[in-house]
C-alpha cells in the first residue's frame, strides 16, 4: 500500500514539484497540500498522513510552530522539514520531533539530489 | 563618500562569485540555464517604484519595499520554466523561490553585506528567506530572454530619487 503524504509549502511551484516527485518517483499518494502552519495542523488532524513535508518560513503560522503543535498531539507523526532555513532552526525542528531535514533548493534536475532525496524519505519513514 | 559612490561600491561588490551563485540558483530551483550579460551591457533601471509591484508579483510576502533585489521578469521567461506549462501563477511562485534563495545567497556574502552596510548604515537582516535590506534598494537584477537562453546582469540607478535619498539619510541618523 502506498504511503500517504501531506505537503506543506507556501510556494505553489515547490509544492507541485514535491507532489510530482512523490507521485512519480516514490509512487506515494499525495493526500493534501497546505500553504501555512495552520493548514498543516488542520490537514494533519483530518488526514493522518504517513509523511508530512514541512516548509518552515510560511505566513500566518510557520512550520516550526506547526511541528510543535502536531508533535504534541501526535507524537508518532512523521515530519520531514524541507526548507532553505539553515542553522539553529534545523536543530530546533529535530528537537521538536521532525525526523529529517532537506535543504532547499530542491535540485530535481540533478540525479544525485534525486537519489539523496529518495533515500532521505525512506530513512525518515523507517525512523 | 557620496551616496552615488557608495551605490557604485555595492555594484562592484556584486561582481566576483555572485553571478555564478545566482546562475546556480536558477539552475537548481527552476532548471533554467542563464548566461551573464557582459557588464558593459548592464541596463540602468529608470525608476525605483516598480519594486513593490514586482515583489508582490513574485509572490513574496513583503508588505513594504523589503527587497534588495526586485528582479524583472518578462512574460517570455514564464514559458521557459520546465514543468510550468503556461501556468503564470506557478511560474511566479517558482521565480519567488529564486528570490528567496537570492536572499540566502546575499546573506552569506560578506562583501555585499559590508557594502550595503556602508551604504545604508542599517543592520542587515540575516535571514535566508527574506530578501535582504528593506527600503533602501537601488539595485535590480535584470533578466533578458533571448530565444532559449536567459541573460542576467545587475542594474543600478544612475541617480537617486529624493525619496530614496531621504531614506538613506534617515538611516544614517
Amino acid at each position: 500500500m502506498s504511503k500517504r503524504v501531506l505537503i506543506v509549502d507556501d510556494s505553489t511551484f515547490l509544492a507541485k514539484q514535491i507532489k510530482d516527485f512523490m507521485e512519480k518517483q516514490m509512487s506515494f499518494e499525495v493526500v493534501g497540500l497546505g500553504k501555512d502552519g495552520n493548514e498543516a495542523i488542520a490537514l494533519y488532524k483530518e488526514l493522518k498522513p504517513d509523511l508530512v513535508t514541512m516548509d518552515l518560513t510560511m505566513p500566518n503560522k510557520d512550520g516550526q510552530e506547526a511541528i510543535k503543535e502536531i508533535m504534541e498531539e501526535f507524537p508518532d507523526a512523521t515530519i520531514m522539514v524541507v526548507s532553505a532555513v539553515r542553522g539553529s532552526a534545523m536543530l530546533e525542528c529535530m528537537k521538536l520531533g521532525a525526523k529529517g531535514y532537506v535543504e532547499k533548493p530542491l535540485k530535481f534536475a540533478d540525479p544525485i539530489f534525486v537519489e539523496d532525496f529518495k533515500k532521505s524519505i525512506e530513512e525518515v519513514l523507517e525512523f | 563618500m557620496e551616496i552615488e559612490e557608495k551605490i557604485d561600491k555595492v555594484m562592484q561588490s556584486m561582481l566576483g562569485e555572485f553571478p555564478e551563485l545566482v546562475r546556480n540558483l536558477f539552475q537548481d530551483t527552476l532548471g533554467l540555464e542563464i548566461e551573464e550579460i557582459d557588464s558593459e551591457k548592464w541596463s540602468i533601471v529608470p525608476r525605483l517604484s516598480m519594486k513593490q509591484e514586482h515583489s508582490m508579483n513574485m509572490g513574496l510576502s513583503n508588505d513594504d519595499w523589503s527587497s534588495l533585489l526586485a528582479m524583472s521578469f518578462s512574460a517570455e521567461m514564464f514559458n521557459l520554466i520546465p514543468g510550468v506549462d503556461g501556468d503564470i501563477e506557478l511560474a511566479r511562485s517558482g521565480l519567488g523561490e529564486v528570490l528567496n534563495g537570492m536572499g540566502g545567497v546575499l546573506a552569506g556574502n560578506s562583501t555585499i553585506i559590508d557594502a550595503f552596510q556602508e551604504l545604508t548604515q542599517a543592520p542587515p537582516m540575516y535571514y535566508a528567506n527574506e530578501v535582504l535590506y528593506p527600503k533602501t534598494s537601488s539595485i535590480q537584477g535584470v533578466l533578458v530572454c533571448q530565444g532559449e537562453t536567459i541573460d542576467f546582469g545587475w542594474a543600478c540607478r544612475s541617480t537617486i530619487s529624493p525619496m530614496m535619498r531621504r531614506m538613506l539619510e534617515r538611516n544614517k541618523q
Side-chain angles (χ1 to χ4, degrees):
Chain A
M1 197 170 135
S2 73
K3 300 290 184 186
R4 300 168 67 254
V5 185
L6 168 63
I7 296 166
V8 184
D9 201 306
D10 61 334
S11 163
T12 314
F13 182 79
L14 281 185
K16 180 181 182 296
Q17 280 192 322
I18 298 169
K19 180 175 184 290
D20 287 348
F21 180 87
M22 291 293 178
E23 291 174 345
K24 291 171 186 167
Q25 300 276 342
M26 305 298 294
S27 299
F28 289 171
E29 180 189 2
V30 176
V31 292
L33 297 168
K35 284 186 171 293
D36 62 26
N38 289 327
E39 288 188 13
I41 295 163
L43 286 168
Y44 190 89
K45 287 178 180 174
E46 178 191 338
L47 301 167
K48 307 286 192 314
D50 301 304
L51 172 68
V52 181
T53 69
M54 182 77 78
D55 187 17
L56 290 186
T57 308
M58 294 184 289
N60 304 320
K61 181 173 283 186
D62 67 29
Q64 195 166 325
E65 184 59 32
I67 292 170
K68 182 170 179 281
E69 291 188 32
I70 291 172
M71 295 308 296
E72 279 173 0
E73 194 169 347
F74 305 96
D76 293 331
T78 301
I79 301 176
M80 184 170 75
V81 176
V82 179
S83 173
V85 178
R86 294 161 173 79
S88 60
M90 187 188 302
L91 195 59
E92 284 302 313
C93 289
M94 301 305 272
K95 279 184 189 169
L96 289 170
K99 295 185 172 59
Y101 202 109
V102 174
E103 287 183 1
K104 293 179 183 175
L106 303 178
K107 306 175 185 178
F108 288 114
D110 178 356
I112 296 171
F113 170 82
V114 169
E115 276 310 303
D116 282 349
F117 195 31
K118 275 185 188 174
K119 282 180 189 164
S120 298
I121 292 166
E122 286 163 2
E123 284 169 7
V124 161
L125 288 168
E126 288 167 8
F127 196 88
Chain B
M1 193 187 294
E2 290 299 314
I3 286 173
E4 285 83 356
E5 289 177 68
K6 289 182 178 179
I7 288 180
D8 188 56
K9 192 172 176 183
V10 173
M11 282 289 293
Q12 294 303 317
S13 75
M14 298 184 105
L15 296 172
E17 66 180 5
F18 193 60
E20 181 65 29
L21 292 170
V22 173
R23 250 201 307 273
N24 291 344
L25 197 57
F26 272 87
Q27 173 66 48
D28 294 344
T29 307
L30 300 178
L32 285 177
E33 297 278 357
I34 62 172
E35 296 176 5
E36 189 182 351
I37 299 174
D38 186 300
S39 59
E40 291 182 358
K41 295 178 185 170
W42 285 358
S43 306
I44 301 298
V45 177
R47 60 199 171 98
L48 188 66
S49 60
M50 60 201 298
K51 284 193 178 59
Q52 185 173 21
E53 181 191 345
H54 273 278
S55 296
M56 291 169 71
N57 281 348
M58 292 305 115
L60 297 183
S61 56
N62 298 331
D63 294 324
D64 54 8
W65 292 12
S66 54
S67 295
L68 165 64
L69 291 165
M71 305 198 86
S72 174
F73 301 109
S74 75
E76 288 171 76
M77 188 167 168
F78 292 157
N79 296 322
L80 296 178
I81 300 172
V84 162
D85 299 328
D87 185 334
I88 299 298
E89 287 308 313
L90 203 57
R92 284 178 175 161
S93 170
L95 293 167
E97 279 305 304
V98 173
L99 285 184
N100 284 344
M102 200 82 72
V105 169
L106 287 169
N109 188 313
S110 60
T111 307
I112 295 173
I113 285 175
D114 289 348
F116 263 85
Q117 182 102 33
E118 192 174 340
L119 171 67
T120 64
Q121 301 293 306
M125 295 160 57
Y126 291 96
Y127 191 45
N129 266 25
E130 291 294 337
V131 183
L132 209 60
Y133 260 103
K135 298 181 180 177
T136 52
S137 168
S138 65
I139 291 183
Q140 181 148 1
V142 176
L143 293 167
V144 182
C145 289
Q146 293 180 332
E148 293 297 307
T149 66
I150 298 166
D151 295 338
F152 105 94
W154 302 113
C156 185
R157 285 170 53 80
S158 56
T159 57
I160 302 170
S161 69
M163 182 178 68
M164 182 171 174
R165 182 176 292 280
R166 282 199 299 276
M167 285 193 295
L168 291 170
E169 293 297 334
R170 196 161 54 237
N171 281 341
K172 277 186 180 178
Q173 292 165 6

